Amino acid sequence: MSESPVAESQQARASVKKLIGAPRAPLTAGTHPWSAGTVGFMLAMHVGAVAALLPFNWSWPAVAVLAVLYWATVIGVTLGYHRMVAHRSFKGPRWLERLMMVMGTLSVQSGPIEWVGLHRHHHRFSDQPNDHHDAARGLWWSHSEWMLHKIPAVAEVERYAGDLLADPFYCWLERWFLLLQVPLAFALYWLGEALAVPGGGWALVLWGVPLRMVIVYHVTWLVNSATHAFGYRNFDCPDLSTNCWWVAILAFGEGWHNNHHAFPQSARHGLRWFEFDITWQHIRFLRRIGLIHHLRIARFPAR
């Protein structure tokens, strides 16, 4: 007699937990070679971010540019890349989805197809040995080292993001995502010169491009690292996901990561009254004005 679905589910969860706790084989140059292009790009962006913070580049317009572009970029990732597209947590008009995709693409976390494909792959193998930012390998690996190497999971992107590959607009963004920074940089340079800010146009370019990108990078990476190491758990998911309040603030609600792993398709990540979810507030507003519909929403069970 075959086992019941409940027994099979429990057995599967036990197998996954065993994988999570298993020793990790050392990474080798053969399996995970360094990506020279990624390492060089990240080094250049961090140098640019440091240059932005030099005293002669500081001004209130620079702070305002950083704040506005940080909001646009993070919302593009959390609301657009993540909840709207990767998990299809709600539906909206095509123009809104494409606007969110452009905003998310400003993060330069590869194009939307690779981002969505790798994210779906992460959920399938969360904290298992073939998870590309496997938290069981430590904070540094899950935070950023994983992306400085060739990523084997990229070979699975077509399997996990085939729905996006069928859309020419997504394919265009995938190809040209990096070049979108060029018109943005020109606009910031013109604005800086027009306002005669300290440091001139280049100051706003530094604050609006490398500094913004580096801050968004580390905030996003904290979801991969800190929310698999620090915080509390509402649900016994077969992974290491946690709810971390300070990551939730920085990442506009993405820090309620254990909730998200328990209910990946939920448009709302902060499920308890004190789990404030900034992205969810944006979604509520868009629903209130009639721009989105068919929301999937999980609720914290009554105790």
Side-chain angles (χ1 to χ4, degrees), residues 24-97:
R24 298 302 193 251
L27 302 178
T28 67
T31 60
H32 291 76
W34 290 94
S35 173
T38 302
V39 171
F41 179 80
M42 288 298 168
L43 179 60
M45 290 302 100
H46 281 73
V47 170
V50 172
L53 296 174
L54 294 174
F56 53 80
N57 285 325
W58 190 94
S59 68
W60 284 114
V63 174
V65 162
L66 175 65
V68 170
L69 289 175
Y70 180 84
W71 166 82
T73 307
V74 174
I75 283 296
V77 173
T78 63
L79 192 152
Y81 270 21
H82 192 199
R83 305 191 197 190
M84 189 175 198
V85 175
H87 294 289
R88 299 297 182 188
S89 299
F90 53 87
K91 297 180 181 180
R94 176 173 290 188
W95 69 263
L96 177 64
E97 179 176 323

Side-chain angles (χ1 to χ4, degrees), residues 40-175:
F41 179 80
M42 288 298 168
L43 179 60
M45 290 302 100
H46 281 73
V47 170
V50 172
L53 296 174
L54 294 174
F56 53 80
N57 285 325
W58 190 94
S59 68
W60 284 114
V63 174
V65 162
L66 175 65
V68 170
L69 289 175
Y70 180 84
W71 166 82
T73 307
V74 174
I75 283 296
V77 173
T78 63
L79 192 152
Y81 270 21
H82 192 199
R83 305 191 197 190
M84 189 175 198
V85 175
H87 294 289
R88 299 297 182 188
S89 299
F90 53 87
K91 297 180 181 180
R94 176 173 290 188
W95 69 263
L96 177 64
E97 179 176 323
R98 294 190 169 185
L99 174 62
M100 290 294 107
M101 290 301 96
V102 171
M103 289 165 59
T105 300
L106 290 177
S107 67
V108 193
Q109 297 180 13
S110 74
I113 296 175
E114 184 173 311
W115 195 101
V116 168
L118 288 179
H119 185 74
R120 291 172 177 171
H121 182 277
H122 163 66
H123 273 270
R124 173 66 179 83
F125 301 104
S126 182
D127 297 326
Q128 299 173 46
N130 54 339
D131 180 3
H132 43 285
H133 43 75
D134 174 16
R137 288 192 179 275
L139 278 174
W140 169 238
W141 174 264
S142 60
H143 187 71
S144 60
E145 187 184 354
W146 66 273
M147 63 175 298
L148 302 179
H149 298 259
K150 300 291 184 182
I151 305 169
V154 169
E156 302 291 321
V157 165
E158 184 174 356
R159 175 185 174 189
Y160 285 94
D163 54 328
L164 305 189
L165 282 164
D167 189 325
F169 179 73
Y170 282 103
C171 293
W172 182 85
L173 277 181
E174 188 73 15
R175 182 177 182 181

Side-chain angles (χ1 to χ4, degrees), residues 279-289 292 295:
T279 300
W280 167 242
Q281 299 306 317
H282 283 71
I283 293 171
R284 288 182 63 192
F285 172 75
L286 292 173
R287 178 178 62 175
R288 189 175 300 120
I289 63 176
I292 61 173
L295 277 76

Side-chain angles (χ1 to χ4, degrees), residues 105-106 108 172-173 175-185:
T105 300
L106 290 177
V108 193
W172 182 85
L173 277 181
R175 182 177 182 181
W176 301 109
F177 70 92
L178 184 57
L179 290 183
L180 288 181
Q181 303 298 314
V182 175
L184 175 61

Side-chain angles (χ1 to χ4, degrees), residues 218-236:
H218 284 282
V219 166
T220 304
W221 298 342
L222 284 169
V223 179
N224 299 334
S225 58
T227 61
H228 285 255
F230 309 113
Y232 63 93
R233 289 164 62 89
N234 287 329
F235 305 97
D236 184 24

